Amino acid sequence: MKLADYKATLSFSNGNPSIEMPVYQGSIGPDVVDIRKLYAQTGKFTYDPGFLSTAACQSAITYIDGDKGELLYRGHPIEQLATQCDFLETCHLLLYGNLPNAEQKAKLEGRVTNHTMVNEQMQFFLRGFRRDAHPMAIMTGLVGALSSFYHDSTDINNPEHRDISAIRLIAKMPTLVAMSYKYSVGQPMIYPQNDLSYAGNFLRMMFATPCAPYKVNPVIERALDRIFILHADHEQNASTSTVRLCGSSGTNPFAAIAAGVACLWGPAHGGANEACLNMLEDIQANGGVAKVGEFMEKVKDKSSGVKLMGFGHRVYKNFDPRAKLMQETCKEVLAELGLENDPLFKLALALEKIALEDDYFVSRKLYPNVDYYSGIVQRAIGIPVKLFTGIFALARTVGWIAQLNEMIGDPEYKIGRPRQLFTGSERRDVLPIASR
Ligand code: CMC
């Protein structure tokens, strides 16, 4: 860590002496107060459940300006990446720090392509699951199980192991997600075809059958590639922090990424796209656009427990830039598939319009997030609702692994070990059972 840019003084009202703490400036974004010596100097911890004000690491990968609604991967605006680059270029950027030149791009494509197959034994793991298992339950299991196949790349402290496991994970996630889908519908698994693009290969593994040739639709291929780019990283969110914390114990990369998959599953995080689509289908089934006003009243009534899924974000207090790009993609995909009058899209637009004008949402700075439109796009493509979060996990794997590798390479990293404000019982003795 660099030397302090300036200092902060912490004083106490109970007569304890004040202390000085170093403050560091990042390249952009809020400065941070270094509290690492606080306990040693004062015997006190800080208290910040939910990490509302705590930077848990230093990172040079992704930057979000929540007030501006800006998202940068290694300095590049998401709008430029989504319109001028493809997903594997974005992977290169996140993993290695820069967009690739033509030679580097071809090299990465070659490496990823070479690792798209999974060990045939994985099929037997898959068969142990119920056919109706949630794909995220399957993914958590399968990703963790990868570590049992790659004993040659499980040493997180070895940079070569980290690099090859990054490539393996990025290459194999689409295969695993498609396998879990094919299993759920009882169709034979389709092996990867390496002359296709990353997104094209995934579409074929999902929707081809051995009985007929499959042609990748370039509009859908591009839309899916954009979904992957938009979900590739998002700085220190819950699943990424989970991956970092899990990896900080020195566990292998496959195990750490499996922990990220498990965290992503929750409806407040990656599960929101599934929850959002279910919400739209529910409103549609109960009266559609005519009922949006009634639904919004429920959302605003805190006692109902109903949220407008796909709205709100811990960091964005303005439009999530990914939501704007996703809305564009949504229009393109619906037009390509002749679904311009899709009732769920109309419903989503109607809800968004009300929310953007309603004081409840305006005063709380609640705007659409990436999940608001991504479900409609995925559903139009033919991806089942239960698989949405699996697609998110596939795309986020590169971000997880880039962040994990950054952490391991950071000389200041330590095993993550949060402290607590203890509110339980003081020491007490165990009574004999007859006297309790
Ligand atoms: N619908 C209705 N009210 C909301 C919503 C919503 N979607 N989101 C936040 N609020 C209200 C919340 O009740 C609170 O009101 P009050 O100040 O009166 O108590 C206020 O807005 C602030 O919300 P919060 O829950 O304190 O904010 P948070 O930063 O803890 O939560 C969030 C962020 C994303 C979990 C939350 O906005 C939410 O649950 N949204 C719906 C789920 C969702 O779309 N999640 C996807 C996030 S983006 C994809 C990803 O990164 O995984």
Side-chain angles (χ1 to χ4, degrees):
M1 178 66 80
K2 60 182 179 168
L3 292 173
D5 292 302
Y6 56 99
K7 294 214 160 107
T9 306
L10 178 65
S11 58
F12 300 90
S13 59
N14 64 355
N16 286 1
S18 304
I19 60 155
E20 281 201 329
M21 291 167 299
V23 183
Y24 309 123
Q25 292 172 320
S27 42
I28 30 176
D31 302 347
V32 299
V33 181
D34 181 348
I35 55 167
R36 281 176 294 179
K37 298 217 169 88
L38 184 73
Y39 179 59
Q41 290 178 349
T42 67
K44 292 176 175 53
F45 297 143
T46 53
Y47 181 62
D48 186 16
F51 293 90
L52 296 179
S53 298
T54 297
C57 62
Q58 51 177 322
S59 179
I61 302 177
T62 294
Y63 176 74
I64 303 171
D65 185 324
D67 293 323
K68 272 206 250 167
E70 181 177 70
L71 170 61
L72 310 175
Y73 292 167
R74 303 270 189 197
H76 295 294
I78 192 68
E79 293 82 359
Q80 292 180 21
L81 293 167
T83 50
Q84 296 172 41
C85 300
D86 66 23
F87 178 65
L88 284 184
E89 287 174 85
T90 307
C91 288
H92 192 285
L93 175 69
L94 292 169
L95 285 175
Y96 306 117
N98 280 305
L99 283 167
N101 59 27
E103 194 188 321
Q104 290 165 327
K105 182 177 176 184
K107 188 172 165 211
L108 181 66
E109 280 171 354
R111 290 184 78 202
V112 169
T113 299
N114 253 316
H115 288 281
T116 48
M117 270 202 313
V118 295
N119 190 297
E120 198 66 6
Q121 284 288 113
M122 289 301 273
Q123 299 255 10
F124 299 105
F125 273 85
L126 191 62
R127 282 183 208 160
F129 286 98
R130 284 170 56 129
R131 291 269 175 193
D132 62 355
H134 194 286
M136 288 301 276
I138 299 182
M139 289 305 293
T140 313
L142 293 188
V143 174
L146 284 178
S147 52
S148 61
F149 293 96
Y150 301 108
H151 293 156
D152 62 342
S153 61
T154 52
D155 178 3
I156 211 162
N157 295 312
N158 179 326
E160 278 167 26
H161 283 207
R162 294 205 295 272
D163 189 49
I164 186 64
S165 44
I167 299 295
R168 281 179 170 146
L169 276 157
I170 292 164
K172 292 181 200 307
M173 282 299 274
T175 315
L176 295 180
V177 173
M179 272 168 76
S180 74
Y181 169 63
K182 287 298 196 190
Y183 183 70
S184 73
V185 289
Q187 289 183 5
M189 178 197 165
I190 301 294
Y191 289 102
Q193 186 174 305
N194 288 345
D195 58 356
L196 294 175
S197 71
Y198 190 84
N201 177 47
F202 178 66
L203 283 170
R204 185 178 165 277
M205 288 192 292
M206 284 285 295
F207 300 119
T209 66
C211 331
Y214 180 83
K215 199 167 169 327
V216 175
N217 175 328
V219 176
I220 306 302
E221 181 183 19
R222 181 67 200 143
L224 193 63
D225 194 72
R226 179 178 278 193
I227 291 179
F228 295 162
I229 294 172
L230 298 185
H231 288 87
D233 195 42
H234 214 225
E235 53 119 303
Q236 310 311 320
N237 55 83
S239 58
T240 301
S241 301
T242 300
V243 169
R244 280 185 178 258
L245 188 58
C246 185
S248 77
S249 72
T251 192
N252 70 76
F254 304 101
I257 301 302
V261 175
C263 177
L264 188 73
W265 191 357
H269 192 8
N273 49 19
E274 180 176 343
C276 179
L277 215 274
N278 288 336
M279 172 192 81
L280 293 174
E281 281 181 339
D282 245 34
I283 304 172
Q284 185 60 22
N286 290 302
V289 174
K291 293 286 177 183
V292 293
E294 212 175 282
F295 176 76
M296 287 305 235
E297 287 312 310
K298 262 198 237 155
V299 169
K300 292 193 281 178
D301 171 10
K302 287 287 169 69
S303 65
S304 73
V306 177
K307 275 191 170 177
L308 180 57
M309 299 310 287
F311 257 71
H313 200 275
R314 170 62 59 80
V315 185
Y316 293 116
K317 300 300 167 199
N318 198 328
F319 255 91
D320 176 340
R322 304 169 302 171
K324 285 190 194 158
L325 291 156
M326 197 55 82
Q327 197 200 54
E328 239 173 52
T329 298
C330 194
K331 282 188 192 147
E332 279 164 25
V333 167
L334 295 179
E336 171 67 15
L337 300 174
L339 299 170
E340 292 93 336
N341 291 321
D342 179 63
L344 290 198
F345 185 54
K346 293 215 156 126
L347 193 55
L349 289 173
L351 283 167
E352 181 185 348
K353 187 168 182 309
I354 298 184
L356 294 179
E357 288 166 4
D358 189 299
D359 187 55
Y360 175 95
F361 296 90
V362 175
S363 62
R364 290 173 177 77
K365 299 187 177 168
L366 301 171
Y367 292 88
N369 61 50
V370 66
D371 291 323
Y372 195 63
Y373 287 106
S374 75
I376 301 174
V377 180
Q378 294 186 58
R379 174 173 157 276
I381 293 175
I383 295 168
V385 177
K386 268 169 105 181
L387 205 67
F388 289 178
T389 318
I391 307 281
F392 191 159
L394 178 173
R396 182 55 59 85
T397 294
V398 63
W400 288 331
I401 201 100
Q403 300 265 354
L404 178 67
N405 288 352
E406 180 184 66
M407 178 188 77
I408 306 291
D410 181 347
E412 294 202 354
Y413 110 84
K414 287 182 179 303
I415 183 169
R417 196 351 182 143
R419 310 307 285 252
Q420 64 176 9
L421 171 66
F422 183 68
T423 56
S425 169
E426 289 181 18
R427 187 187 189 285
R428 53 183 175 155
D429 293 326
V430 173
L431 297 176
I433 194 160
S435 334
R436 286 178 214 160

